[in-house]
Amino acid sequence: MTRHEQQSRLSNVARVDSFSRDTREFVEASMRGDGCLVRVTHASVGSTDIMARRGDYLLHPFPGFVSGYDFIGIVEFIDRPAQSLGLSVGDRVAGVLPGMGAHATRLRVPSSLLVPVPDGLASEDAATLPLDGVTARHALDLLKPSPRALFINGVSGAVGLLAAQLAALDGVRVSGTASPASAALAMQYGAATFDYGDTQWPRQLLDQVGKVDGVIDHTGSRTLNSVVKRNGRIVRTAFGGPVGHQKAATAAGFAKTLVQRFAQPSEVVCSTPMYVAMKRRSYRRDLTKVLELADSGRLKPLDPVVYDVSHYREALDAAGQPASGKKVVLTFGE
Ligand SMILES: NC(=O)c1ccc[n+]([C@@H]2O[C@H](COP(=O)([O-])OP(=O)(O)OC[C@H]3O[C@@H](n4cnc5c(N)ncnc54)[C@H](OP(=O)(O)O)[C@@H]3O)[C@@H](O)[C@H]2O)c1
Protein backbone atom coordinates (compact mmCIF):
# COMPACT_ATOMS: atom_id res chain seq x y z
CA MET A 1 0.00 0.00 0.00
CA THR A 2 1.40 3.43 -0.96
CA ARG A 3 1.86 6.18 1.60
CA HIS A 4 -0.98 8.13 -0.03
CA GLU A 5 -3.33 5.13 0.20
CA GLN A 6 -2.40 4.65 3.86
CA GLN A 7 -3.00 8.31 4.63
CA SER A 8 -6.33 8.32 2.85
CA ARG A 9 -7.55 5.51 5.11
CA LEU A 10 -6.86 7.50 8.28
CA SER A 11 -8.94 10.24 9.81
CA ASN A 12 -8.80 12.21 13.06
CA VAL A 13 -12.18 11.82 14.69
CA ALA A 14 -14.03 13.12 17.74
CA ARG A 15 -14.97 9.69 19.04
CA VAL A 16 -17.13 9.43 22.14
CA ASP A 17 -15.45 6.62 24.08
CA SER A 18 -17.30 7.18 27.32
CA PHE A 19 -20.40 9.09 28.44
CA SER A 20 -19.11 9.51 31.98
CA ARG A 21 -15.79 11.03 30.90
CA ASP A 22 -16.24 13.00 27.65
CA THR A 23 -12.62 13.35 26.51
CA ARG A 24 -13.35 15.91 23.78
CA GLU A 25 -10.12 15.03 21.98
CA PHE A 26 -9.62 13.97 18.38
CA VAL A 27 -8.05 10.53 17.90
CA GLU A 28 -6.66 8.85 14.80
CA ALA A 29 -8.88 6.13 13.37
CA SER A 30 -8.94 4.12 10.20
CA MET A 31 -11.87 4.65 7.86
CA ARG A 32 -13.94 1.68 6.84
CA GLY A 33 -15.95 1.06 3.72
CA ASP A 34 -15.91 2.39 0.20
CA GLY A 35 -17.31 5.50 -1.36
CA CYS A 36 -16.01 8.98 -1.99
CA LEU A 37 -13.17 10.33 0.10
CA VAL A 38 -14.00 13.79 1.45
CA ARG A 39 -11.63 16.11 3.30
CA VAL A 40 -13.83 17.90 5.80
CA THR A 41 -13.35 21.66 5.97
CA HIS A 42 -16.33 22.59 8.18
CA ALA A 43 -18.83 20.79 10.39
CA SER A 44 -21.60 22.14 12.57
CA VAL A 45 -21.98 21.43 16.29
CA GLY A 46 -25.61 21.41 17.35
CA SER A 47 -27.91 20.54 20.21
CA THR A 48 -28.15 16.91 19.06
CA ASP A 49 -24.35 16.52 19.25
CA ILE A 50 -24.37 17.74 22.82
CA MET A 51 -27.21 15.40 23.73
CA ALA A 52 -25.48 12.45 22.04
CA ARG A 53 -22.09 13.16 23.63
CA ARG A 54 -23.57 13.06 27.12
CA GLY A 55 -25.38 9.75 26.41
CA ASP A 56 -28.86 11.21 26.16
CA TYR A 57 -29.63 10.39 22.52
CA LEU A 58 -31.76 7.39 21.61
CA LEU A 59 -30.07 6.86 18.23
CA HIS A 60 -26.66 6.48 19.96
CA PRO A 61 -27.36 4.74 23.26
CA PHE A 62 -23.80 3.36 23.55
CA PRO A 63 -20.38 5.05 23.35
CA GLY A 64 -18.02 4.33 20.46
CA PHE A 65 -19.50 6.69 17.87
CA VAL A 66 -18.21 9.93 16.37
CA SER A 67 -20.43 13.00 16.80
CA GLY A 68 -21.41 15.43 14.04
CA TYR A 69 -24.30 15.07 11.63
CA ASP A 70 -23.26 17.37 8.80
CA PHE A 71 -20.27 18.76 6.99
CA ILE A 72 -18.81 20.76 4.12
CA GLY A 73 -15.73 19.31 2.44
CA ILE A 74 -13.64 18.79 -0.66
CA VAL A 75 -13.92 15.59 -2.68
CA GLU A 76 -10.54 13.85 -2.93
CA PHE A 77 -11.63 10.60 -4.49
CA ILE A 78 -14.90 9.60 -6.17
CA ASP A 79 -16.80 6.34 -6.24
CA ARG A 80 -18.35 4.98 -9.40
CA PRO A 81 -21.87 6.50 -9.03
CA ALA A 82 -20.38 9.96 -8.37
CA GLN A 83 -19.97 10.78 -12.05
CA SER A 84 -23.63 10.15 -12.81
CA LEU A 85 -24.46 12.53 -9.94
CA GLY A 86 -22.23 15.19 -11.50
CA LEU A 87 -19.54 15.04 -8.81
CA SER A 88 -15.81 15.31 -9.50
CA VAL A 89 -12.58 15.34 -7.53
CA GLY A 90 -11.99 18.84 -6.15
CA ASP A 91 -15.70 19.69 -5.79
CA ARG A 92 -16.88 21.45 -2.66
CA VAL A 93 -19.73 19.39 -1.25
CA ALA A 94 -22.18 19.29 1.63
CA GLY A 95 -23.75 16.29 3.30
CA VAL A 96 -25.64 14.82 6.22
CA LEU A 97 -24.53 11.49 7.71
CA PRO A 98 -27.48 9.35 8.84
CA GLY A 99 -25.44 7.81 11.65
CA MET A 100 -23.32 10.85 12.66
CA GLY A 101 -19.50 10.90 12.27
CA ALA A 102 -18.87 14.31 10.69
CA HIS A 103 -16.54 15.61 13.42
CA ALA A 104 -13.62 14.14 11.53
CA THR A 105 -10.87 15.33 9.25
CA ARG A 106 -11.76 12.86 6.48
CA LEU A 107 -14.80 10.80 5.60
CA ARG A 108 -15.57 7.84 3.38
CA VAL A 109 -19.13 8.35 2.21
CA PRO A 110 -21.32 7.18 -0.66
CA SER A 111 -21.70 9.86 -3.32
CA SER A 112 -25.47 9.71 -2.86
CA LEU A 113 -24.98 11.62 0.43
CA LEU A 114 -23.17 14.51 -1.28
CA VAL A 115 -24.44 17.58 -3.08
CA PRO A 116 -22.35 20.41 -4.54
CA VAL A 117 -22.17 23.70 -2.65
CA PRO A 118 -22.94 26.73 -4.87
CA ASP A 119 -19.81 28.78 -5.59
CA GLY A 120 -21.21 31.97 -4.06
CA LEU A 121 -21.98 30.46 -0.66
CA ALA A 122 -19.22 30.72 1.96
CA SER A 123 -18.36 27.37 3.54
CA GLU A 124 -18.97 28.56 7.11
CA ASP A 125 -22.47 29.74 6.14
CA ALA A 126 -23.17 26.55 4.18
CA ALA A 127 -22.05 24.50 7.20
CA THR A 128 -24.95 25.84 9.28
CA LEU A 129 -27.49 24.41 6.85
CA PRO A 130 -27.41 20.70 6.00
CA LEU A 131 -28.96 19.01 9.05
CA ASP A 132 -31.18 21.87 10.18
CA GLY A 133 -32.19 22.94 6.66
CA VAL A 134 -33.13 19.42 5.60
CA THR A 135 -34.98 18.93 8.89
CA ALA A 136 -36.92 22.17 8.38
CA ARG A 137 -37.81 21.25 4.78
CA HIS A 138 -38.74 17.67 5.66
CA ALA A 139 -40.89 18.77 8.62
CA LEU A 140 -42.77 21.21 6.38
CA ASP A 141 -43.29 18.53 3.73
CA LEU A 142 -44.73 16.19 6.35
CA LEU A 143 -47.42 18.84 6.90
CA LYS A 144 -48.53 18.74 3.27
CA PRO A 145 -50.89 19.98 1.98
CA SER A 146 -49.08 23.14 3.00
CA PRO A 147 -50.77 24.74 6.05
CA ARG A 148 -52.14 28.26 5.78
CA ALA A 149 -51.17 28.96 9.39
CA LEU A 150 -48.14 27.22 10.94
CA PHE A 151 -47.04 27.24 14.58
CA ILE A 152 -43.43 26.35 15.42
CA ASN A 153 -42.74 25.46 19.04
CA GLY A 154 -39.19 26.84 19.38
CA VAL A 155 -39.29 29.19 16.39
CA SER A 156 -36.12 31.01 17.51
CA GLY A 157 -33.99 27.84 17.35
CA ALA A 158 -31.83 26.68 14.46
CA VAL A 159 -34.50 24.43 12.93
CA GLY A 160 -37.28 26.90 13.80
CA LEU A 161 -35.72 29.92 12.08
CA LEU A 162 -35.06 27.95 8.89
CA ALA A 163 -38.54 26.38 8.90
CA ALA A 164 -40.11 29.81 9.45
CA GLN A 165 -38.31 31.21 6.41
CA LEU A 166 -39.04 28.24 4.16
CA ALA A 167 -42.71 28.35 5.16
CA ALA A 168 -42.89 32.09 4.53
CA LEU A 169 -41.49 31.52 1.03
CA ASP A 170 -44.45 29.17 0.45
CA GLY A 171 -46.84 31.92 1.58
CA VAL A 172 -47.57 30.36 4.99
CA ARG A 173 -48.41 32.56 7.98
CA VAL A 174 -45.94 31.65 10.75
CA SER A 175 -46.05 32.03 14.52
CA GLY A 176 -44.23 30.23 17.30
CA THR A 177 -42.78 30.21 20.79
CA ALA A 178 -39.54 31.89 21.84
CA SER A 179 -38.09 33.23 25.06
CA PRO A 180 -38.38 37.01 25.54
CA ALA A 181 -34.62 37.22 24.84
CA SER A 182 -34.94 35.81 21.32
CA ALA A 183 -38.45 36.97 20.37
CA ALA A 184 -37.20 40.04 18.49
CA LEU A 185 -34.93 37.90 16.34
CA ALA A 186 -37.72 35.45 15.48
CA MET A 187 -39.92 38.40 14.53
CA GLN A 188 -37.18 39.66 12.17
CA TYR A 189 -37.51 36.29 10.45
CA GLY A 190 -41.22 36.95 10.01
CA ALA A 191 -42.73 34.96 12.88
CA ALA A 192 -45.21 36.26 15.46
CA THR A 193 -43.94 35.02 18.80
CA PHE A 194 -45.37 33.86 22.13
CA ASP A 195 -43.36 33.36 25.32
CA TYR A 196 -43.16 29.62 26.08
CA GLY A 197 -42.51 30.52 29.73
CA ASP A 198 -45.97 32.11 30.00
CA THR A 199 -48.61 29.42 30.64
CA GLN A 200 -51.16 31.66 28.91
CA TRP A 201 -49.50 31.43 25.49
CA PRO A 202 -52.04 28.94 24.00
CA ARG A 203 -54.87 31.34 24.94
CA GLN A 204 -52.97 34.29 23.43
CA LEU A 205 -52.32 32.33 20.23
CA LEU A 206 -55.99 31.40 19.87
CA ASP A 207 -57.02 35.02 20.47
CA GLN A 208 -54.52 36.54 18.05
CA VAL A 209 -54.15 33.90 15.33
CA GLY A 210 -56.85 31.31 15.95
CA LYS A 211 -56.35 27.57 15.51
CA VAL A 212 -53.52 26.69 13.14
CA ASP A 213 -53.40 23.97 10.47
CA GLY A 214 -49.92 22.73 11.25
CA VAL A 215 -47.40 22.58 14.12
CA ILE A 216 -43.70 21.75 14.21
CA ASP A 217 -42.73 20.76 17.75
CA HIS A 218 -39.55 19.63 19.50
CA THR A 219 -40.90 19.11 23.03
CA GLY A 220 -43.57 16.41 22.80
CA SER A 221 -46.01 18.80 24.49
CA ARG A 222 -49.68 17.69 24.47
CA THR A 223 -50.78 21.31 25.00
CA LEU A 224 -50.18 21.84 21.30
CA ASN A 225 -53.09 19.58 20.38
CA SER A 226 -55.48 22.27 21.64
CA VAL A 227 -54.19 24.90 19.19
CA VAL A 228 -54.46 22.78 16.01
CA LYS A 229 -57.57 22.31 13.91
CA ARG A 230 -59.10 18.83 13.96
CA ASN A 231 -57.97 18.16 10.40
CA GLY A 232 -54.52 19.65 11.09
CA ARG A 233 -51.25 17.92 11.91
CA ILE A 234 -48.39 18.06 14.43
CA VAL A 235 -44.90 17.13 13.26
CA ARG A 236 -42.63 16.14 16.15
CA THR A 237 -38.87 16.56 15.64
CA ALA A 238 -37.91 15.78 19.26
CA PHE A 239 -39.55 15.07 22.61
CA GLY A 240 -37.71 17.14 25.21
CA GLY A 241 -37.35 15.61 28.66
CA PRO A 242 -35.00 16.57 31.48
CA VAL A 243 -31.25 16.26 30.90
CA GLY A 244 -30.24 12.66 31.57
CA HIS A 245 -33.71 11.33 30.70
CA GLN A 246 -34.07 12.35 27.07
CA LYS A 247 -33.65 8.83 25.67
CA ALA A 248 -36.68 7.66 27.65
CA ALA A 249 -38.65 10.80 26.71
CA THR A 250 -37.86 10.17 23.03
CA ALA A 251 -38.86 6.50 23.18
CA ALA A 252 -42.14 7.34 24.93
CA GLY A 253 -42.86 10.34 22.69
CA PHE A 254 -42.09 8.38 19.55
CA ALA A 255 -44.49 5.59 20.56
CA LYS A 256 -47.23 8.09 21.49
CA THR A 257 -46.84 9.90 18.18
CA LEU A 258 -47.12 6.66 16.20
CA VAL A 259 -50.38 5.91 17.99
CA GLN A 260 -51.69 9.38 17.10
CA ARG A 261 -50.93 8.91 13.40
CA PHE A 262 -54.62 8.65 12.49
CA ALA A 263 -56.01 10.80 15.32
CA GLN A 264 -57.48 14.27 14.77
CA PRO A 265 -55.28 16.28 14.69
CA SER A 266 -52.83 13.69 13.38
CA GLU A 267 -49.22 13.44 14.53
CA VAL A 268 -46.06 12.30 12.75
CA VAL A 269 -42.39 12.00 13.67
CA CYS A 270 -39.80 13.85 11.59
CA SER A 271 -36.48 12.02 11.77
CA THR A 272 -33.87 13.42 9.41
CA PRO A 273 -31.41 10.56 10.03
CA MET A 274 -34.09 8.08 8.91
CA TYR A 275 -35.06 10.31 6.00
CA VAL A 276 -31.45 10.56 4.80
CA ALA A 277 -30.97 6.81 5.21
CA MET A 278 -34.15 5.82 3.40
CA LYS A 279 -35.08 8.59 0.94
CA ARG A 280 -31.75 9.46 -0.58
CA ARG A 281 -33.06 11.22 -3.68
CA SER A 282 -35.51 13.40 -1.77
CA TYR A 283 -32.82 14.27 0.76
CA ARG A 284 -30.43 15.34 -2.00
CA ARG A 285 -33.17 17.43 -3.64
CA ASP A 286 -33.96 19.13 -0.31
CA LEU A 287 -30.35 19.86 0.57
CA THR A 288 -29.62 21.17 -2.93
CA LYS A 289 -32.65 23.46 -2.75
CA VAL A 290 -31.77 24.79 0.71
CA LEU A 291 -28.22 25.61 -0.41
CA GLU A 292 -29.51 27.28 -3.59
CA LEU A 293 -31.98 29.41 -1.61
CA ALA A 294 -29.19 30.52 0.72
CA ASP A 295 -26.92 31.26 -2.24
CA SER A 296 -29.60 33.39 -3.90
CA GLY A 297 -30.22 35.32 -0.65
CA ARG A 298 -33.79 34.06 -0.25
CA LEU A 299 -32.92 31.99 2.84
CA LYS A 300 -30.79 33.56 5.55
CA PRO A 301 -28.49 30.97 7.17
CA LEU A 302 -27.81 31.24 10.88
CA ASP A 303 -24.72 33.26 11.77
CA PRO A 304 -21.81 30.83 12.04
CA VAL A 305 -19.71 31.06 15.21
CA VAL A 306 -16.49 29.55 13.93
CA TYR A 307 -14.05 27.53 16.06
CA ASP A 308 -10.84 26.02 14.80
CA VAL A 309 -10.88 22.29 15.50
CA SER A 310 -8.01 22.79 17.97
CA HIS A 311 -10.64 24.54 20.16
CA TYR A 312 -13.10 21.65 20.09
CA ARG A 313 -13.79 21.86 23.84
CA GLU A 314 -14.80 25.50 23.54
CA ALA A 315 -16.94 24.72 20.50
CA LEU A 316 -18.84 22.05 22.45
CA ASP A 317 -19.30 24.41 25.40
CA ALA A 318 -20.67 27.12 23.09
CA ALA A 319 -23.03 24.68 21.35
CA GLY A 320 -24.30 23.60 24.77
CA GLN A 321 -25.56 27.14 25.37
CA PRO A 322 -26.89 28.04 21.93
CA ALA A 323 -27.34 31.72 21.18
CA SER A 324 -30.42 32.43 19.11
CA GLY A 325 -29.68 33.00 15.42
CA LYS A 326 -26.18 31.51 15.72
CA LYS A 327 -24.72 28.10 14.99
CA VAL A 328 -21.37 26.73 16.10
CA VAL A 329 -19.21 25.64 13.16
CA LEU A 330 -15.89 23.79 13.40
CA THR A 331 -13.27 24.59 10.82
CA PHE A 332 -10.56 22.12 9.86
CA GLY A 333 -8.71 24.47 7.46
CA GLU A 334 -9.64 25.02 3.79
N1 LIG B 1 -35.78 15.11 14.18
C1 LIG B 1 -34.62 15.47 13.64
O1 LIG B 1 -34.16 14.89 12.67
C2 LIG B 1 -33.89 16.62 14.23
C3 LIG B 1 -32.92 17.33 13.50
C4 LIG B 1 -32.31 18.44 14.08
C5 LIG B 1 -32.62 18.78 15.39
N2 LIG B 1 -33.53 18.04 16.07
C6 LIG B 1 -33.93 18.37 17.45
O2 LIG B 1 -34.82 19.45 17.35
C7 LIG B 1 -34.70 20.24 18.52
C8 LIG B 1 -34.48 21.68 18.13
O3 LIG B 1 -33.22 21.77 17.48
P1 LIG B 1 -32.55 23.19 17.27
O4 LIG B 1 -31.22 22.90 16.67
O5 LIG B 1 -33.47 24.11 16.61
O6 LIG B 1 -32.33 23.62 18.78
P2 LIG B 1 -31.95 25.04 19.36
O7 LIG B 1 -31.26 25.85 18.33
O8 LIG B 1 -31.29 24.77 20.65
O9 LIG B 1 -33.37 25.75 19.62
C9 LIG B 1 -34.23 25.36 20.64
C10 LIG B 1 -35.49 26.19 20.54
O10 LIG B 1 -36.41 25.77 21.55
C11 LIG B 1 -36.83 26.91 22.31
N3 LIG B 1 -37.17 26.42 23.64
C12 LIG B 1 -36.37 26.27 24.72
N4 LIG B 1 -37.12 25.81 25.76
C13 LIG B 1 -38.38 25.66 25.29
C14 LIG B 1 -39.61 25.24 25.88
N5 LIG B 1 -39.68 24.86 27.15
N6 LIG B 1 -40.72 25.21 25.12
C15 LIG B 1 -40.68 25.56 23.80
N7 LIG B 1 -39.55 26.00 23.19
C16 LIG B 1 -38.42 26.04 23.93
C17 LIG B 1 -35.66 27.86 22.22
O11 LIG B 1 -36.08 29.18 22.48
P3 LIG B 1 -35.05 30.28 23.10
O12 LIG B 1 -33.76 30.12 22.38
O13 LIG B 1 -35.73 31.56 22.80
O14 LIG B 1 -34.95 29.93 24.55
C18 LIG B 1 -35.28 27.68 20.75
O15 LIG B 1 -36.20 28.36 19.93
C19 LIG B 1 -33.58 19.64 19.35
O16 LIG B 1 -34.16 18.81 20.33
C20 LIG B 1 -32.81 18.81 18.35
O17 LIG B 1 -32.16 17.71 18.97
C21 LIG B 1 -34.18 16.99 15.53
Side-chain angles (χ1 to χ4, degrees), residues 47-48 51 131-132 135 153-160 177-179 182-183 196 218-219 236-238 270-273 322 324 327:
S47 48
T48 316
M51 196 164 60
L131 176 70
D132 297 335
T135 302
N153 201 23
V155 71
S156 52
V159 174
T177 49
S179 64
S182 53
Y196 58 73
H218 70 105
T219 65
R236 309 262 189 203
T237 62
C270 166
S271 168
T272 300
S324 194
K327 183 92 186 181

Side-chain angles (χ1 to χ4, degrees), residues 14-159:
R15 196 171 57 212
V16 179
D17 286 324
S18 159
F19 292 139
S20 54
R21 189 180 49 83
D22 188 350
T23 53
R24 302 168 166 221
E25 305 293 345
F26 275 64
V27 294
E28 198 168 72
S30 53
M31 288 180 286
R32 294 202 196 99
D34 302 317
C36 296
L37 181 65
V38 176
R39 179 171 58 80
V40 178
T41 60
H42 298 77
S44 83
V45 190
S47 48
T48 316
D49 294 310
I50 304 307
M51 196 164 60
R53 292 188 67 91
R54 67 167 180 256
D56 230 358
Y57 187 40
L58 193 61
L59 294 186
H60 278 296
F62 306 110
F65 64 94
V66 175
S67 52
Y69 261 125
D70 53 5
F71 61 91
I72 304 299
I74 306 293
V75 178
E76 293 192 329
F77 173 85
I78 51 170
D79 61 6
R80 202 173 277 189
Q83 274 168 338
S84 61
L85 295 171
L87 294 168
S88 312
V89 169
D91 282 356
R92 193 166 58 121
V93 289
V96 176
L97 302 178
M100 293 190 138
H103 294 169
T105 53
R106 278 196 164 76
L107 301 170
R108 275 265 178 202
V109 286
S111 45
S112 60
L113 284 176
L114 304 174
V115 306
V117 178
D119 287 345
L121 192 58
S123 292
E124 55 266 36
D125 291 329
T128 66
L129 289 167
L131 176 70
D132 297 335
V134 170
T135 302
R137 182 68 265 164
H138 183 39
L140 289 168
D141 289 342
L142 287 171
L143 287 171
K144 287 218 159 128
S146 191
R148 289 168 63 177
L150 166 70
F151 186 80
I152 303 174
N153 201 23
V155 71
S156 52
V159 174

Side-chain angles (χ1 to χ4, degrees), residues 273-284:
M274 278 195 226
Y275 181 57
V276 175
M278 295 168 74
K279 302 263 177 162
R280 203 54 68 84
R281 254 189 210 208
S282 307
Y283 145 73
R284 296 183 83 253

